[in-house]
Amino acid sequence: MGETPTSNFVLIIKHDTENIECQQRNITENSAIYSPSRFWACFLRCKMQRLGASKIVQIDFMPKEQVTYSKETQTPVASDQPEGKELFYLYLIINMDIQLNSGFTHETNLEEENAQEAEEGKKNHNQPRELTNEEKEQIIHSEDFLFFFDQSIRVMERVLAEDTDIFFDYSGRDMEDKEGDMQAGSNLSFNRHFYDEHWSKHRVVTSLDWSPQYPELLVASYNTNEDAPHEPDGVVLVWNMKYKKTTPEYIFHCQSSVMSVGFAQFHPNLVIGGTYSGQIALWDNRSHRRTPVQRTPLSATAHTHPVYCVNVVGTQNANNLITVSTDGKMCSWSLDMLSQPQESMELIYNKSKPVAVTCMAFPASDVNNYVVGSEEGTVYTASRHGSKAGIGEMFDGHQGPVTGISCHNAVGPVDFSHLFTTSSFDWTVKLWSTKHNKPLYSFEDNADYVYDVMWSPVHPALFATVDGNGRLDLWNLNNYTEVPSASVTVEGGCALNRVRWASGGREVAVGDSEGRVWIYDVGEQLAVSHTDDWSKFARTLMEIRANRGDGEEEGALELPA
Amino acid sequence: MEEFHSGDEVSFSPDEASNVVKECIEGIIGGVDYSQNKVNQWTASIVEHTLTQLVKQGKPFKYIVNCAVMQKSGAGLHTANSCYWDTTTDGSCTVRWENRTMYCVVSVFAVAIAL
């Protein structure tokens, strides 16, 4: 009848023929005849069923960690009667011991009278006042006594363990019966091994280092003992070569497995460890604590992955601790302040993913450039500062993760510091020069994963390798390049994880997977270098390079005359 | 005709909103350091700009914009929020932004207007 009105609402229109005209008017005036509340109510009811709770959105800003550290210095205290105190403590120990055993009965052969007088006289003069048990307990727990006791037991242990031969005849008459020159004949002879029933059992030796200040001290780090979950995960023991005692000089531990350890080169009292959790722990042998005195924080600015390489580089006054973890992060720290790294860098090759570093080495006297080996089997050079800071060249050659890397560090007339060797899971050890991307030579005498390699610190052509069969090999490249010049399988045949030359180049320490550290003496003919060894090695290198020109690494190499 | 499309189920796009918010924040406190006497202005303008930009998109939503600016002083801050609404059409987005001296958190909640 009328036009359909255009309106903005859906209407329910009541048709009422009587009121159409008024309705039309009403409609154009936009007054609705529907009932709005009922409309919205049923609309809403349908919607209600679709409501649900959203996810909880949380925002966190972490508070800044307050780090405090304090350094103490103490002027030397001039003590008046040190001897007096020590004598007193000794007397106390003896006193208590006598009490326990026999009391003060003093039997002599003198006649009773004299005996009695003498005794009484003695008792009056020599016998001091008897201390009560409480006083004794107090003294035993005092700081002074504990310090004295700690120092004395070390000395006593060393003395008791010595078993030098007092009948040794220097004129050599006794030696005639024995077979010739035993010592000089063997190139590699077993010296001793270090093992602690409590602390090193069932733990793998993860790292070794010799002390630069005290050549007889060796530090070894161990990882978790799965059989003893309540013991600390990471253990570091300092062993002493000089004395025959079989207990460690110092015992340190921390909550996470220690993967790499080293003596701080310019701080004789500090031992640095890199752990599985990414923390760097610092132990001090001046404190009585076995736990680290300083630790780096577990934060994204430091390391969050296991740290397999720790190294102190620099000079006495300007040194840094360089640490690299398996996520490719290199951090440089100052030993005074481990709360945050001085600088940190991500080692990325070719702008793609970071390098998973398993080992690192600095060439002798270089603080800027270093070489790293990675899990993928590639080796890279890297530098800390400069326009090319970060990863430089890539060296491809290994087919398995690189386990050990060592830069040539013997100093002599010819400079071989561009040479380095690497060991890998692919059963080979390769010789490289920083000037070529491909290996110079590949040593393939092993039949298992090669776990570590290290150049001798004194002989230019000598290096040691250890593998998973328990074999320790010494390669002298001036003698043979295809087989090791000396080889020994460690007792028990456990896989050997680490090898370290002592700084004199006469001893080699190897750590195995059962927590034992074996020390081998290297015979003079092999270990000591002669002046012509340097030029001989230079010739050997030239021959290696010449033969390599074909690109074949497995070809037979002509032995130098 | 109506301004809004009828019959379409429009749902909130957190990514778009988050871009809008980020541009607003950058524009207002982009390169400046925390300043006690200016921070009130900043929060007010961030909220205002964000809201106008969102409304300009012309979508059928009611918006709630919340902005918090906190000076970096070593203290920790933790907030959480949750909503009970129509999860198919409604949504929220939270943007965290920081510079050397301050943190800024802006939350945008969008509730669809039922037709």
Side-chain angles (χ1 to χ4, degrees), chain B residues 33-95:
Chain B
D33 285 345
Y34 180 84
S35 152
Q36 178 59 42
N37 39 20
K38 291 206 205 128
V39 69
N40 281 333
Q41 284 175 30
W42 292 338
T43 47
S45 15
I46 289 175
V47 166
E48 208 187 303
H49 280 217
T50 317
L51 201 50
T52 39
Q53 295 290 337
L54 288 169
V55 169
K56 249 196 241 176
Q57 288 179 352
K59 300 212 176 120
F61 283 103
K62 292 182 179 170
Y63 294 103
I64 296 129
V65 178
N66 183 41
C67 169
V69 172
M70 182 174 107
Q71 182 182 22
K72 273 193 179 174
S73 62
L77 170 70
H78 305 262
T79 73
N81 62 61
S82 173
C83 315
Y84 182 71
W85 53 25
D86 182 344
T87 44
T88 49
T89 56
D90 307 326
S92 72
C93 111
T94 309
V95 174

Side-chain angles (χ1 to χ4, degrees), chain A residues 207-212 217-221 261-264 500-501:
Chain A
S207 182
L208 294 169
D209 191 29
W210 291 88
S211 164
L217 288 186
L218 169 70
V219 69
S221 63
V261 79
F263 280 100
R500 272 283 166 275
W501 285 90

Side-chain angles (χ1 to χ4, degrees), chain A residues 8 40 43-44 47-48 50-66, chain B residues 9 74-88 92 94 96 103 105 114-115:
Chain A
N8 289 339
W40 284 114
F43 183 72
L44 279 170
K47 281 281 193 187
M48 281 286 277
R50 290 197 281 167
L51 292 185
S54 75
K55 282 196 281 230
I56 298 183
V57 175
Q58 294 207 12
I59 307 282
D60 288 327
F61 293 112
M62 301 308 293
K64 200 197 292 193
E65 225 186 301
Q66 294 289 354
Chain B
E9 280 266 314
L77 170 70
H78 305 262
T79 73
N81 62 61
S82 173
C83 315
Y84 182 71
W85 53 25
D86 182 344
T87 44
T88 49
S92 72
T94 309
R96 275 184 68 151
Y103 296 110
V105 184
L115 306 165

Side-chain angles (χ1 to χ4, degrees), chain A residues 506-548:
Chain A
R506 294 300 303 276
E507 284 118 16
V508 175
V510 282
D512 73 7
S513 54
E514 283 298 315
R516 279 184 290 262
V517 178
W518 307 84
I519 310 286
Y520 281 84
D521 286 328
V522 184
E524 254 191 62
Q525 301 145 330
L526 198 50
V528 176
S529 66
H530 306 285
T531 33
D532 60 344
D533 274 323
W534 300 87
S535 37
K536 235 174 146 186
F537 188 51
R539 280 200 300 275
T540 316
L541 268 186
M542 276 194 328
E543 288 195 18
I544 291 176
R545 281 211 196 101
N547 287 341
R548 184 187 148 271

Side-chain angles (χ1 to χ4, degrees), chain B residues 6-50:
Chain B
S6 59
D8 290 347
E9 280 266 314
V10 200
S11 72
F12 181 65
S13 149
D15 304 312
E16 255 189 75
S18 132
N19 284 335
V20 168
V21 168
K22 279 189 196 143
E23 280 168 24
C24 277
I25 300 180
E26 276 296 329
I28 295 170
I29 52 172
V32 296
D33 285 345
Y34 180 84
S35 152
Q36 178 59 42
N37 39 20
K38 291 206 205 128
V39 69
N40 281 333
Q41 284 175 30
W42 292 338
T43 47
S45 15
I46 289 175
V47 166
E48 208 187 303
H49 280 217
T50 317

Side-chain angles (χ1 to χ4, degrees), chain A residues 386-453:
Chain A
S387 53
K388 286 198 236 154
I391 295 278
E393 313 271 307
M394 172 173 97
F395 297 79
D396 204 9
H398 275 297
Q399 268 120 22
V402 179
T403 50
I405 189 169
S406 173
C407 286
H408 193 277
N409 50 17
V411 178
V414 189
D415 177 39
F416 293 113
S417 57
H418 57 98
L419 291 179
F420 61 96
T421 45
T422 52
S423 62
S424 155
F425 274 13
D426 67 357
W427 295 13
T428 66
V429 175
K430 293 196 187 331
L431 172 68
W432 312 74
S433 162
T434 50
K435 304 177 191 161
H436 302 290
N437 291 55
K438 293 282 172 221
L440 289 181
Y441 194 76
S442 177
F443 303 95
E444 294 184 6
D445 191 61
N446 291 86
D448 201 345
Y449 296 165
V450 187
Y451 280 104
D452 201 10
V453 62

